[in-house]
Every structure is written in structure tokens, then in C-alpha cells.
Amino acid sequence: MQSDTKPRWERRKDARPQELLAAALDLFVDRGYAATRLEDVARRAGVSKGTLYLYFENKEELFKAVVRDNIVAVIGRAEIDVAAADSTSCNELLRAMLRRWWADVASTRASGLAKLMVAEAGNFPEIARFYNEEVISRGHALIGSIVRRGVERGEFMPVDPEMMTRVLTAPVTMLMLWAHSFDPCCGPVDAEAFLDTWLGLVERGMARPV
């Protein structure tokens, strides 16, 4: 294996964008959008505020980068996998994608961004539009494409793909919000048991009668 021959200061410079994104994610989730200050993000990442501005023009651009790095990238990889899984049954594919969303986003620190959007979207319409376009609409389109494929193949009941997508995604969203709102006072929900129960209900409800 070839060793990294770059000087330590250069390796550190290459890592700074990811360090800033990690620090920003923590602060956005802990404090919300309005209360997160760029100087605090820089301090958390161990750099100056001026250094942060070398990579991100303002707080809105930093927030967008956090969302793209932690959520949009996951959706992009899932889109590629769904397009390549033409021979997989739509029921298996739907289960895989919903579980993947839970594993890669909903059970991670990034799930706190959903609570942030629910709480602050009304005060920051620009980031609300961005989140809707790049996360909600794109994620819904992906799930909707699986539902539509299943209906066309006769694997699912003839349902409205757009409406069914909203029905499918709402429980996961609620579970994310619970984890970031009620866990400390009411205790956590067993996510695996929840997903098993919910996906079983989905499978039975969408199955075409034999």
C-alpha cells in the first residue's frame, strides 16, 4: 500500500471541508438553523472563521452542503441501485430501500435535520424549498418509482403511487422525530420491531390477491 507522501499540513487542509461539515451537522442538530453561528462551527472544527469562508460562502450554503453530504448522497446511490435492480421483486426492493434509508439516514445523526426542518422551515423558506427539492421530492420520486413498477407488473394492488409514497414515508419520519424529541423523556422506540411490524403491514396491504 502506498503511503500518503503529502506534508501533514496539506493532508489537514484536504480534510477541512469534511471536518467543517461534521461540526456543522452537530451544531445544526443540537441548536437548530437559526441558533447555529458560523464562528461556532469553525471553532468546533478547529479552524478560524476566515478558513470556513474559503469553503462555504454563508450559513445557507454550509447547511446545503451538510444535507447533500449526509442525505442527498444516500438518495443518489439508492437511485442507481433501483435502476439496476430490474429483476428484483418490487416488494423486496421496497423493503430494501426503506431499510436502507433507516440504516443510512434515519438512525444516524443526520436524522436530526428532519426535526430542524419541521421546526424552522416556516422561518427560512429558502432552505425549505431546497430541502423539499433535493430530499423530499427526490426521495418520494424514488419510492414512487418502485410502487409504480410493482403496480405495472401486477405485484401490487392498483394504488396511487404518489399517495402511497406519502403513506410509506410518514412512519419513518415520525420515528425520526420521536428519537429527537421524546426519547429523553418517554424512552426510545424499538426501531427494528417497529420496522418489522410496519413493513409486514405494508406487504400484506399492497399484495395483490391470488
Side-chain angles (χ1 to χ4, degrees):
M1 181 182 296
Q2 186 177 2
S3 61
D4 190 342
T5 58
K6 288 184 178 181
R8 181 177 299 176
W9 68 269
E10 273 194 50
R11 295 199 299 271
R12 165 71 172 158
K13 182 178 179 181
D14 291 343
R16 278 175 184 157
Q18 284 303 127
E19 292 171 353
L20 286 163
L21 291 175
L25 174 63
D26 281 341
L27 289 172
F28 281 132
V29 170
D30 289 342
R31 301 181 182 180
Y33 185 82
T36 294
R37 302 185 307 168
L38 293 182
E39 52 262 43
D40 294 333
V41 173
R43 188 179 302 111
R44 176 76 65 96
V47 301
S48 68
K49 187 176 179 180
T51 298
L52 185 151
Y53 279 118
L54 294 176
Y55 300 99
F56 306 103
E57 182 179 355
N58 51 43
K59 184 163 72 171
E60 182 178 324
E61 292 306 312
L62 175 61
F63 178 79
K64 289 178 179 180
V66 168
V67 172
R68 286 173 176 145
D69 187 61
N70 289 277
I71 302 179
V72 178
V74 174
I75 297 173
R77 292 191 294 269
E79 289 170 338
I80 293 171
D81 290 345
V82 168
D86 189 63
S87 61
T88 305
S89 80
C90 292
N91 185 63
E92 291 177 7
L93 191 56
L94 187 61
R95 275 180 165 269
M97 287 300 109
L98 291 170
R99 281 194 170 278
R100 180 172 176 172
W101 176 259
W102 180 260
D104 292 350
V105 177
S107 65
T108 72
R109 187 74 167 145
S111 64
L113 296 172
K115 179 185 175 185
L116 180 155
M117 293 308 306
V118 169
E120 302 192 64
N123 294 325
F124 299 97
E126 286 302 316
I127 66 166
R129 279 191 287 271
F130 157 78
Y131 195 85
N132 181 61
E133 290 172 3
E134 297 208 16
V135 176
I136 297 174
S137 294
R138 194 168 164 185
H140 280 194
L142 176 64
I143 297 300
S145 70
I146 301 172
V147 175
R148 187 173 295 104
R149 186 189 300 181
V151 171
E152 291 171 352
R153 291 180 177 179
E155 296 180 41
F156 295 153
M157 292 282 287
V159 296
D160 178 342
E162 183 176 345
M163 190 58 65
M164 182 54 67
T165 294
R166 294 183 180 277
V167 171
L168 290 169
T169 55
V172 179
T173 302
M174 187 61 224
L175 197 56
M176 288 193 294
L177 295 177
W178 180 280
H180 287 273
S181 300
F182 296 106
D183 267 11
C185 62
C186 304
V189 174
D190 185 331
E192 285 302 315
F194 181 96
L195 290 172
D196 283 340
T197 302
W198 168 58
L199 289 171
L201 181 63
V202 168
E203 183 176 351
R204 292 189 297 273
M206 292 181 64
R208 201 173 185 94
V210 294

